[in-house]
Amino acid sequence: MKSHNMSWIAAIAAVSILAGCAAKPSQAQLDDARQHAQFANDAAAWRQLEDWARNDDADAQRALAEALASDGGMAGWRKARPWYQAAAERGDALSAFRLARIYAKGLGVAADAGQSDRWLALAARRRQADAACMLGLRAKDGGDAAAARRWFELAAERGSAEAMFQLGIAYQEGLGVAVDLPRARGWYEQAARLEMPAALQTLAMAYEGGDLGLKKDPAKASELFNLAAHAIHDFESALF
């Protein structure tokens, strides 16, 4: 452990010496510094993250914010929020989404629906997947199936398993689109490949009952039910 820490300190020193030549840290450098700060409480790593963040680097500002917020306490969220905001103001869509969640849940600040909606809309306009999915869910709840589908399609393109699942529902039930069971099944399968429990369960029930154009297959249904039971412990929704 001691030699590992020494190698990290040496690496930090080398990075500092080269700072004038390398204005922007690589993602690997940010990840390494964040992990040492977050998990080892390494003072040199914290200083390096702060130096990078103060250099108006949005990725570094988000990395520092995530490290500060990692303890889950309100003090950490209070320290993280200004850095998320700095990154969001420099165009970082994920930081804008993080701010929307902070204001929605009152994490280190007073809950503020207006601020949350502002940052959520900004993140969605920047094509952040979870923000787009949330706007899709809100449009769906408001009865605007066409708008919901557009947001879900954008979010799905950006990798949102929840948006893929919602598109499956839309095509299965004809919500703003014509019923198309093969297409619905395709979206459920995409979400299932990302280990989304609800998609795995939906496919399991389809194989159990012979729905979605599938033939009954009890063995496949059992396999998918088991996968869903395991996935439910690991899958974390980013929505709020």
Side-chain angles (χ1 to χ4, degrees), residues 81-97:
R81 186 203 55 77
W83 291 111
Y84 277 131
Q85 183 163 335
E89 289 172 348
R90 286 172 175 78
D92 187 70
L94 181 54
S95 291
F97 181 71

Side-chain angles (χ1 to χ4, degrees), residues 200-201 203-205 207-208 217-231:
L200 288 163
Q201 291 170 345
L203 288 171
M205 290 186 289
Y207 277 108
E208 186 176 58
D217 188 335
K220 185 67 173 177
S222 178
E223 175 190 348
L224 289 169
F225 276 128
N226 286 333
L227 287 172
H230 285 92

